Amino acid sequence: MANATTPLLADDRRDADTSSNTLSDPEEDVLRGQSRATQAGRSWPSRLRESLLFAWALLATAGVLVLAVWASHNQQTSFDKPAGKRNLIFMVSDGMGPASLSLTRSFRQYTEGLDHGDTLTLDKHFWGSSRTRSSSSLVTDSAAGATAFSCGMKSYNGAISMLPDSTPCGTVLEAAKKAGYKTGLVVTTDITDATPACFASHVDMRWQNDDIAVQEVGNGPLGRVVDLMFGGGRCRFLPNGTEGGCRADNINVVDMAKNDYGWNYIGDRAAFDEFWEGEKEVPLPMLGLFADTDIPFELDRRNQNDVYPSLSEMAKTALRALEKATEGSDQGFFLMIEGSRIDHAGHGNDPAAQVREVLEYDRTFKAVVDFLEESKTPGVLVATSDHETGGLSVARQVNANYPQYLWYPAVLANASSSSEYLAHRLHAHIAKTSNASVDELREYINEKLVIPGFGIHDASDEELTALATKPEQAQYLFAHMISIRAQIGWSTHGHSAVDVNVYSSGGPGAEALRGNVENTDVGKYLREYLNVDVDAVTKELNEKMTSKRRIGMVGQEATIDTDNEVSPEVGDHWVAHEEMEAQRQARMHDNVLLLGAIWD
């Protein structure tokens, strides 16, 4: 009898007379993996048959594996389109990389006294990551990034919904409008900037803002495709030579929008508040331009709350307006919301400004999630970034000694102004006191800007002298002061090629965006969820636009030769941003002086 230590195939024979279950020699040979053929040598027909059976089994197994992989991929990249009315909100955190989330999460925990397990709303809806390269570079710009979202196709840096072969591509917003959806764009930058432009216009290069403005209000190949626009960039809609205007021509686009395309227009916080506070329903189409160029950084805007609305306020107002406008419709709405100035804070290497921009974006994300949960109409929220900006590192080695494993959120918490705002004030002061000595400037910078604006009381002589003698570099110098003390690192004033996060509320087909995807996959999901025909829009655009494209007002177009390349300096959006900031400073000189007088 076998016991607990008896091997499974122990040669423990039972008496043939006492058990009818005793194995015959051939049976036992089989259990032992042997046979008489094995012992005596198998014939070649037998070996051939076994080889063929093995090959068949191997091929069958491979086939099953291929089918399983195909089925899994197909499940992730396609889905049954939802039936019935639906809403789609797409959010873009321009320039926000994974490090920005780490920075902001820890900053919030520090400033609000929260446990380390208390996370951002974004963290709770993390979905995957996205690759960001464009067709022309491993490091994309916002135009190519937004074209990937709007058209679902790769293009070159600078392209506003145009492809490398110089043809236009239809956008999800345009297709949604043609399918009966209401559409909207909400941003904190110039509304003609790359991201919003890529959903409602088509030009060769992003710096063609004047042409983008007229297309956005409806003077383009498809007519009016947007129902609501909130943001900055008012100067792009006003004629050259008029107060607040920065166009190169004399076209009043605000008047064109109202008179030719039926837009309602609001241009200040007071007018916005009538809708924000619920006193009025928002009539569509609605154009709201609340700043000459960009709406100030949230860090500065909160000190001017009576002048500029926040991203979350504009987003909530847009959501209510679009929901109300689609109450009796079979179709819902498509809304693109961009946290635009996260990118600008990255370009300026200003961590104090960036962390407040991300916090406001997170508040806006939560507002959208809450809206979807309360809405009677099914909807999905998808959010991602076009790229990372600044090469942010949440640590910095500040000397040659062994690096410290820390960074200081308290330094960012002490800041009440952005480096951009302090630079504006310095420039205004120098313009007002052109004969001031270096020592006088050093004292002003320290006492009136650095201490009250940053809460920094240990500015070095070298730092103050650099600011006094190189005021044209003031923004970067101010930003460096706060970054070095917080021990926050940056690798560039431009973009980086790092993968960016994808977030979602979840919903039909959203699993297609799980894992690591291309930015074009995000664009393809948007069109598939709405079940709209972007290809048909592309076909229509190509019938109406030539390879030597004619852009601008319908009837007053200018021919653009697409063979001439634009220099990187001309096409760089941060250079253009700084030029616009210089223009804004000149236009608002008196206002800045007034603020300076109040601070002084």
Side-chain angles (χ1 to χ4, degrees), residues 63 71 73 90 123-124 134 155 165 181 215 228 251 253 268 320 344 383 394 500 594:
H73 174 76
F90 177 52
D123 293 321
K124 298 175 178 64
S134 70
S155 196
D165 64 356
Y181 289 86
Q215 289 189 41
L228 181 146
I251 299 169
V253 184
D268 55 37
R320 286 201 306 269
H344 290 177
V394 193
V500 295
L594 178 60

Side-chain angles (χ1 to χ4, degrees), residues 584-597:
R584 178 172 72 167
Q585 181 181 327
R587 288 193 303 273
M588 302 184 67
H589 184 64
D590 292 341
N591 292 338
V592 176
L593 289 181
L594 178 60
L595 281 173

Side-chain angles (χ1 to χ4, degrees), residues 448-528:
K448 301 299 182 180
L449 301 180
V450 173
I451 292 175
F454 280 166
I456 291 176
H457 295 266
D458 63 347
S460 68
D461 290 340
E462 291 80 5
E463 288 173 323
L464 296 175
T465 299
L467 283 162
T469 58
K470 301 174 182 177
E472 71 281 357
Q473 299 179 22
Q475 188 274 310
Y476 294 136
L477 293 170
F478 279 128
H480 182 265
M481 289 180 71
I482 199 165
S483 291
I484 196 82
R485 286 167 174 78
Q487 294 195 196
I488 294 298
W490 305 88
S491 67
T492 178
H493 283 291
H495 299 171
S496 75
V498 69
D499 289 356
V500 295
N501 292 348
V502 177
Y503 303 90
S504 180
S505 62
E511 290 301 313
L513 299 179
R514 287 287 193 187
N516 182 255
V517 299
E518 279 291 341
N519 53 8
T520 51
D521 292 329
V522 176
K524 291 170 184 175
Y525 172 77
L526 300 181
R527 68 169 73 176
E528 289 178 7

